[in-house]
Amino acid sequence: MARWEGNTRGRLERAALTLFREQGYDRTTVAQIAQRANLTERSFYRWFTDKREVLFAGDELEERLVAAVDAAPPGTGALPALLAACTVVPEVLRPRDFLLERAEVIAANPPLQERELIKLAALSDALTAALVRRGHPEPAARLATDAAAAVLRLATRRWVTDERADFAALLAAATADLRAVVGGA
């Protein structure tokens, strides 16, 4: 196997996504993913616990967001701290074409939908805990996390579909949309 090609995780992700689209999630095996990536099954399992996990790789997003919340200036409100933290998201986003294909595959496969919900819940819990460590009450921290997640989801969806879009501008627009909804309630 050609281990010197580098980017093992990326190759496995791309191979899995391609196979999931070509032959379906259920009919794709870990062995096929590894073979398509020109790696061994053992290499696959060094990076991922199972084939569902291959599209939800790494905790880098969570780590970056929590670190950004932790780095917010003292006295920063819960929602402003989270929205400021969201500016790090473009540093860890995969390419647009990968994200679009990934979204299609997840939408078509209940086990992947379930995994996505589990990952989002874990991210929400981690961000809420970061806010609580900063002194915010848990209910307010949870509400701020949910609001920030909605803003981030909207900005990311817009970013994925518009190649010319600036993520920071989309984040600001989604924040304005939230403020308009809350202000008009």
Side-chain angles (χ1 to χ4, degrees):
M1 296 290 161
R3 297 194 196 297
W4 59 85
E5 291 179 45
N7 191 18
T8 301
R9 184 176 91 180
R11 288 171 37 217
L12 288 165
E13 290 170 342
R14 174 49 66 189
L17 186 59
T18 300
L19 286 166
F20 293 163
R21 291 190 79 204
E22 288 175 1
Q23 62 189 31
Y25 170 78
D26 290 330
R27 291 192 311 265
T28 299
T29 66
V30 168
Q32 291 170 326
I33 294 168
Q35 183 178 18
R36 177 71 62 99
N38 199 24
L39 295 162
T40 64
E41 279 187 71
R42 187 173 182 185
S43 294
F44 178 94
Y45 287 114
R46 283 188 192 124
W47 288 94
F48 309 106
T49 55
D50 59 39
K51 73 177 184 178
R52 287 178 300 179
E53 193 66 22
V54 74
L55 296 182
F56 303 95
D59 297 318
E60 187 176 7
L61 177 62
E62 180 179 316
E63 291 167 4
R64 293 275 189 101
L65 287 170
V66 168
V69 168
D70 290 344
T76 303
L79 186 57
L82 287 167
L83 293 174
C86 287
T87 62
V88 304
V89 169
E91 298 169 14
V92 295
L93 283 178
R94 302 289 192 273
R96 284 179 173 92
D97 64 326
F98 181 88
L99 293 175
L100 287 168
E101 291 176 39
R102 178 184 175 274
E104 287 176 21
V105 168
I106 291 171
N109 295 284
L112 296 176
Q113 293 170 19
E114 178 184 32
R115 182 61 59 103
E116 182 168 53
L117 291 173
I118 291 167
K119 290 291 192 173
L120 291 173
L123 176 60
S124 177
D125 289 345
L127 291 171
T128 297
L131 290 172
V132 169
R133 284 192 306 274
R134 292 179 56 85
H136 298 284
E138 196 279 335
R142 177 70 57 192
L143 184 58
T145 299
D146 290 346
V151 167
L152 182 57
R153 194 170 37 254
L154 180 57
T156 303
R157 187 175 299 131
R158 290 173 176 169
W159 180 82
V160 166
T161 59
D162 183 354
E163 292 181 15
R164 297 168 291 149
D166 174 65
F167 191 84
L170 293 174
L171 196 58
T175 301
D177 291 344
L178 174 66
R179 289 192 173 112
V181 168
V182 172

